[in-house]
């Protein structure tokens, strides 16, 4: 179905992101209209056999660009990116996950290393949350005493009249939330540069064809800290309308 823009007037500029409504295809064959963010800016994208990867760097806030040693700061400051792995086939997510699972290096060796010209980039807005008890995780790391009602002694953490007997930890709840929206897109695009220049010695040189990245079906995503290579968040989007 045709896209309907929520922004009125004019042709979209190359450096601007618009929000449009379009179809997202679920794994069961059904589809739903959701809000997509569109961009025509150069992006870090790489095409592999059966899937594409889009890397959206988060804006680095801790570097003083006016400092003489900003280069050294850049080497050590944490740099986070959201990386979206999009299968070519609309129902191809689980096949892609099966390729990733056996190899810890799969993710890092398939990341984009440079920005490319794009025809259009479409990514749905989504918000995902996960929460649950992490008591067993903490116990597996050796933290057992705090959860023992007979051995724990935390009464000094509260006023004497607030409790009787021993005080211990019954449960620890952890919750993580990740949201992809227009502000995130703007922050990701802020580190891009428009200062690319180039030339060719050949009259018949043809520039690479622009790449389209349309995430209108289920995909996997990762948030990576690039200085250390650590994966700090991983998930997949099956239906962006469901939180």
């Amino acid at each position: 179905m045709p896209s309907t823009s929520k922004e009125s007037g004019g042709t979209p500029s190359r450096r601007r992101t618009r929000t449009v409504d379009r179809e997202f295809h679920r794994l069961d064959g059904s589809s739903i209209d959701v809000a997509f963010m569109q961009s025509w800016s150069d992006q870090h994208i790489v095409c592999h056999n059966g899937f594409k990867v889009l890397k959206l760097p988060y804006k680095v806030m801790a570097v003083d660009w006016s400092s003489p040693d900003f280069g050294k700061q850049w080497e050590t400051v944490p740099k986070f990116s959201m990386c979206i792995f999009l299968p070519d086939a609309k129902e191809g997510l689980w096949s892609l996950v099966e390729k990733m699972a056996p190899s810890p290096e799969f993710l890092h060796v398939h990341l984009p290393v440079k920005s490319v010209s794009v025809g259009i980039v479409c990514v749905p807005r989504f918000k995902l949350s996960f929460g649950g008890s992490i008591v067993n995780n903490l116990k597996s790391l050796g933290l057992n005493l705090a959860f023992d009602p007979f051995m724990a002694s935390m009464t000094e953490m509260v006023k004497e009249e607030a409790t009787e007997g021993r005080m211990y930890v019954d449960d620890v709840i952890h919750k993580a939330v990740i949201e992809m929206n227009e502000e995130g897109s703007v922050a990701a695009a802020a580190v891009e540069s428009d200062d690319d220049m180039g030339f060719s010695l050949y009259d018949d040189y043809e520039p690479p064809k622009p790449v389209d990245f349309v995430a209108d079906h289920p995909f996997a995503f990762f948030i990576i800290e690039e200085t250390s290579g650590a994966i700090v968040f991983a998930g997949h989007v099956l239906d962006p309308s469901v939180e």
Side-chain angles (χ1 to χ4, degrees):
M1 64 178 294
S3 300
T4 55
S5 173
K6 293 183 179 178
E7 180 179 280
S8 60
T11 302
S13 68
R14 184 169 177 76
R15 300 301 298 178
R16 191 169 63 186
T17 300
R18 291 199 309 174
T19 302
V20 300
D21 288 336
R22 60 183 298 160
E23 282 185 314
F24 185 91
H25 303 273
R26 301 186 182 105
L27 289 176
D28 63 4
S30 64
S31 62
I32 185 172
D33 282 358
V34 297
F36 277 76
M37 297 168 291
Q38 290 189 148
S39 176
W40 295 265
S41 303
D42 292 357
Q43 301 287 349
H44 286 78
I45 299 175
V46 63
C47 299
H48 296 291
N49 183 23
F51 66 97
K52 299 176 182 177
V53 184
L54 167 67
K55 184 174 75 171
L56 297 169
Y58 287 91
K59 187 175 182 180
V60 178
M61 303 297 293
V63 175
D64 181 3
W65 301 106
S66 63
S67 173
D69 66 342
F70 78 89
K72 185 177 296 185
Q73 294 181 42
W74 176 257
E75 291 177 358
T76 57
V77 70
K79 294 180 282 289
F80 295 92
S81 293
M82 173 176 281
C83 303
I84 297 177
F85 282 66
L86 177 69
D88 292 343
K90 286 183 170 57
E91 69 286 351
L93 175 61
W94 301 135
S95 297
L96 178 56
V97 171
E98 288 178 0
K99 290 182 181 179
M100 295 180 178
S103 174
E105 300 83 15
F106 185 96
L107 188 149
H108 292 93
V109 300
H110 288 90
L111 293 180
V113 295
K114 63 179 181 179
S115 62
V116 298
S117 177
V118 303
I120 190 170
V121 171
C122 290
V123 178
R125 289 194 313 205
F126 64 87
K127 183 177 181 180
L128 301 176
S129 61
F130 169 81
S133 173
I134 59 171
V135 170
N136 290 334
N137 303 81
L138 295 173
K139 287 182 177 180
S140 69
L141 296 173
L143 184 59
N144 294 290
L145 192 60
F147 303 102
D148 190 325
F150 301 103
M151 299 297 294
S153 180
M154 298 184 176
T155 53
E156 294 184 4
M157 297 176 62
V158 296
K159 294 181 179 179
E160 292 183 4
E161 61 270 18
T163 183
E164 294 182 2
R166 289 183 178 274
M167 182 178 179
Y168 68 99
V169 178
D170 181 61
D171 204 351
V172 178
I173 305 298
H174 172 76
K175 185 172 183 179
V177 178
I178 182 168
E179 184 172 9
M180 184 71 167
N181 56 29
E182 289 81 358
E183 290 186 9
S185 298
V186 172
V191 299
E192 298 294 331
S193 172
D194 279 331
D195 298 330
D196 294 337
M197 297 181 64
F199 63 93
S200 172
L201 298 177
Y202 304 96
D203 293 336
D204 59 351
Y205 170 76
E206 293 185 7
K209 293 182 179 179
V211 177
D212 291 337
F213 190 96
V214 181
D216 63 354
H217 52 279
F219 56 85
F221 70 89
F222 303 85
I223 294 181
I224 300 174
E225 198 291 293
E226 297 195 59
T227 301
S228 65
I231 300 172
V232 298
F233 201 101
H236 52 256
V237 175
L238 304 180
D239 183 344
S241 68
V242 178
E243 182 176 332

